[in-house]
Amino acid sequence: MLGDDVLSIDYLAAVDEGLNSIYFGYTLTIFVIMILTAIIYNVFNFFAPGNLLIPVTILLAVITGIFTLVPLVGRSVIYLAIAAVLAVEAIQQNPTTLWYPLVFFLFMTLAFDNVVRTYIRPYLSGKMFHLSLVMFAYLLGPILFGWYGIFLGPLLMVIVVQFLQVVVPQLRGEELKSRLNIDPTTIQETDDDFDDTMGSGEATDGGR
């Protein structure tokens, strides 16, 4: 595909490794959201005025995590449904407590979702790539491709970064001694056997 069998194997293996890192992190994000929203829903119930309680908090937390698969508006649908139920109960019990469902909805959509998009999801998916690079892919993907961008953005990021990292140096006739510094930490491990491994057609992961 790239004109060199060994180079093709190295590149495809690197892409596969990157996709495993990104999408495993995305799955992990869903479970983290389930746990965090279960805690948040129960905290809101603890401070709820009167009897404005969020029902079946654990089930709703699981549904919230699943709806993360629907980008941009997925979780907001759950937040809106919960706020609507609380608003109806507030009107029936005490209209002065209508501020409570409003605070809940604003907190979940503006504060919590922003933390998920900006920190949690990029961090959990950034074990192999720099945090800011993964964050950029997740934020730019939906802008360019709509809902599917949540998957296509990271996919394109992995393809481009691994191409620049594995293929370009060898096409330019350079001897690749180490991978680009895309690790989220400031410490990059080295591998003295990297050249021997590349010659055998096996992909490496920077000493991981």
Side-chain angles (χ1 to χ4, degrees):
M1 181 182 67
L2 299 175
D4 187 294
D5 290 338
V6 173
L7 182 58
S8 300
I9 294 174
D10 287 341
Y11 175 63
L12 294 178
V15 170
D16 179 70
E17 179 186 0
L19 292 178
N20 283 336
S21 174
I22 289 293
Y23 291 123
F24 174 77
Y26 192 78
T27 303
L28 185 60
T29 299
I30 294 175
F31 287 99
V32 170
I33 290 174
M34 291 179 183
I35 296 173
L36 292 179
T37 51
I39 295 174
I40 293 173
Y41 294 163
N42 282 284
V43 169
F44 266 93
N45 278 351
F46 182 78
F47 292 101
N51 293 322
L52 295 182
L53 301 178
I54 300 175
V56 289
T57 55
I58 302 300
L59 177 60
L60 286 175
V62 173
I63 296 176
T64 303
I66 294 175
F67 265 67
T68 300
L69 295 172
V70 182
L72 300 181
V73 298
R75 292 187 302 272
S76 297
V77 173
I78 306 301
Y79 307 150
L80 181 61
I82 294 175
V85 171
L86 295 177
V88 171
E89 293 182 358
I91 293 175
Q92 295 175 346
Q93 298 177 17
N94 185 0
T96 60
T97 59
L98 278 172
W99 60 268
Y100 178 70
L102 179 61
V103 168
F104 168 81
F105 182 75
L106 292 178
F107 174 82
M108 298 303 295
T109 55
L110 299 181
F112 178 72
D113 269 6
N114 185 61
V115 170
V116 171
R117 287 191 297 265
T118 307
Y119 298 105
I120 297 178
R121 184 165 57 199
Y123 176 77
L124 293 178
S125 298
K127 298 302 182 182
M128 182 177 174
F129 301 93
H130 194 279
L131 176 61
S132 60
L133 189 63
V134 180
M135 182 187 305
F136 181 77
Y138 274 119
L139 294 178
L140 185 62
I143 296 176
L144 295 177
F145 305 107
W147 287 17
Y148 297 105
I150 201 68
F151 301 103
L152 293 179
L155 172 63
L156 291 178
M157 184 270 293
V158 171
I159 291 175
V160 172
V161 169
Q162 300 294 50
F163 183 84
L164 295 175
Q165 173 178 277
V166 177
V167 178
V168 171
Q170 297 188 54
L171 291 179
R172 295 172 59 182
E174 298 178 1
E175 185 176 355
L176 189 61
K177 296 181 179 180
S178 63
R179 293 210 169 193
L180 295 178
N181 185 15
I182 57 175
D183 193 89
T185 65
T186 57
I187 300 177
Q188 183 177 6
E189 298 179 5
T190 59
D191 189 350
D192 294 333
D193 298 328
F194 182 83
D195 293 335
D196 294 337
T197 307
M198 291 295 293
S200 63
E202 296 176 4
T204 66
D205 59 359
R208 292 179 180 277

